[in-house]
């Protein structure tokens, strides 16, 4: 079995290759879309509620509470993005119980793509709330000399998100492969159960880190603007006293 789903080529035609990462990624997206559509199409506000609706409400309320705990204002604003990240990673890791399946999160290309989504989401949310000027001014705070360092910080956090998720998923796959060679019956079952738990934990960690990244960026811009307004207010009071 190939360690990375990128190495598992399902279809090849000339220079075009279809690997397991692409197939399983699209399969998970289709599963999430169909599942959410089937549940939300039958929502009920009465006393009789389906188990799927209860599960969906628990997941949504739990994600919203976690976003609020991070300190972000208006959790509903971030719920679709953070919730999608969590559900995709959690589903990708939980489906490892299916024989022949390899999680796309075990591919560096997938984790890098998720991290890039977070990198793009941070300025998008900040610009939507504070404006483009406030977002760009943050990169030259407290002095324009900090511009390269602030840019490096943005990309280093993105790289850390990608490597963290990729390393944790791949480490579990490698350990299972080693245990299969040593004890092919008992240990793989135990590691598979442990892998389901760690898969959920990794989805939770990635979603929380993404929200912390976005919330910290938003708060930093807000603090800078508030500080600027406070300074202007102090100068106005001083002029009035004069």
């Amino acid at each position: 079995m190939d360690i990375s789903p990128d190495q598992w080529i399902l279809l090849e035609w000339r220079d075009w290759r279809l690997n397991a990462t692409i197939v399983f990624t699209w399969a998970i997206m289709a599963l999430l879309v169909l599942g959410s559509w089937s549940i939300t199409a039958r929502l009920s506000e009465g006393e009789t509620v389906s188990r799927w609706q209860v599960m969906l409400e628990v997941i949504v309320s739990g994600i919203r509470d976690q976003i609020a705990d991070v300190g972000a204002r208006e959790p509903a604003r971030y719920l679709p993005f953070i919730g999608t990240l969590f559900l995709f990673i959690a589903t990708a890791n939980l489906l490892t119980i299916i024989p022949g399946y390899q999680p796309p999160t075990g591919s560096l290309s997938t984790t890098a793509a998720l991290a890039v989504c977070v990198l793009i989401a941070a300025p998008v949310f900040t610009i939507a709330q504070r404006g483009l000027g406030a977002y760009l001014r943050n990169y030259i705070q407290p002095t324009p000399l900090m511009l390269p360092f602030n840019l490096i910080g943005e990309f280093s956090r993105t790289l850390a998100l990608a490597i963290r998720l990729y390393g944790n998923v791949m480490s579990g796959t490698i350990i299972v492969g080693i245990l299969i060679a040593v004890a092919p019956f008992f240990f793989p079952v135990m590691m598979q159960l442990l892998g389901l738990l760690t898969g959920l934990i990794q989805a939770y960690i990635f979603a929380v880190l993404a929200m912390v990244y976005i919330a910290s960026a938003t708060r930093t811009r807000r603090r800078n603007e508030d500080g600027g307004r406070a300074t202007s207010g102090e100068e106005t009071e001083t002029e009035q006293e004069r």
Side-chain angles (χ1 to χ4, degrees):
M1 183 182 66
D2 298 323
I3 295 179
S4 174
D6 288 340
Q7 302 173 359
W8 185 4
I9 306 299
L10 300 177
L11 183 62
E12 184 175 2
W13 184 70
R14 294 184 180 180
D15 296 333
W16 181 80
R17 294 182 179 182
L18 181 65
N19 57 30
T21 300
I22 299 175
V23 172
F24 290 140
T25 298
W26 280 92
I28 293 171
M29 290 191 297
L31 178 63
L32 291 176
V33 170
L34 294 176
S36 60
W37 176 80
S38 62
I39 296 175
T40 55
R42 303 177 181 177
L43 292 180
S44 175
E45 297 181 356
E47 297 181 356
T48 304
V49 180
S50 65
R51 297 179 180 178
W52 291 106
Q53 180 176 342
V54 173
M55 182 187 69
L56 180 63
E57 291 176 354
V58 170
I59 294 175
V60 171
S61 61
I63 296 175
R64 184 187 291 111
D65 293 340
Q66 288 298 320
I67 294 174
D69 291 340
V70 170
R73 298 180 181 179
E74 302 179 6
R77 179 190 298 270
Y78 310 99
L79 181 61
F81 178 71
I82 299 299
T84 301
L85 285 178
F86 173 78
L87 290 177
F88 176 81
I89 299 174
T91 304
N93 293 337
L94 288 177
L95 291 180
T96 52
I97 60 176
I98 300 177
Y101 169 85
Q102 293 190 35
T105 47
S107 168
L108 185 58
S109 59
T110 301
T111 57
L114 295 174
V116 169
C117 291
V118 178
L119 176 66
I120 296 174
V124 168
F125 283 117
T126 305
I127 293 173
Q129 294 183 27
R130 315 305 301 175
L132 180 60
Y135 172 76
L136 295 178
R137 282 195 300 270
N138 181 74
Y139 285 102
I140 57 174
Q141 297 294 335
T143 171
L145 296 176
M146 293 299 296
L147 176 62
F149 299 101
N150 289 329
L151 292 176
I152 293 174
E154 293 284 345
F155 288 103
S156 63
R157 282 181 290 188
T158 303
L159 181 63
L161 281 176
I163 297 300
R164 184 192 302 272
L165 180 60
Y166 171 75
N168 289 328
V169 174
M170 283 301 298
S171 62
T173 303
I174 294 174
I175 292 174
V176 170
I178 295 174
L179 292 178
I180 288 177
V182 176
F185 296 105
F186 177 72
F187 284 109
V189 176
M190 299 299 298
M191 288 302 301
Q192 194 73 23
L193 295 176
L194 182 60
L196 296 179
L197 177 60
T198 56
L200 286 175
I201 294 175
Q202 293 307 320
Y204 171 78
I205 292 175
F206 189 95
V208 169
L209 288 177
M211 192 60 244
V212 169
Y213 180 24
I214 296 173
S216 62
T218 306
R219 285 198 298 267
T220 299
R221 275 74 176 182
R222 185 181 296 114
R223 274 199 305 270
N224 291 335
E225 286 192 348
D226 293 342
R229 286 196 295 267
T231 302
S232 301
E234 293 175 358
E235 293 177 353
T236 303
E237 292 179 358
T238 302
E239 292 178 356
Q240 292 177 353
E241 291 177 356
R242 291 178 180 175

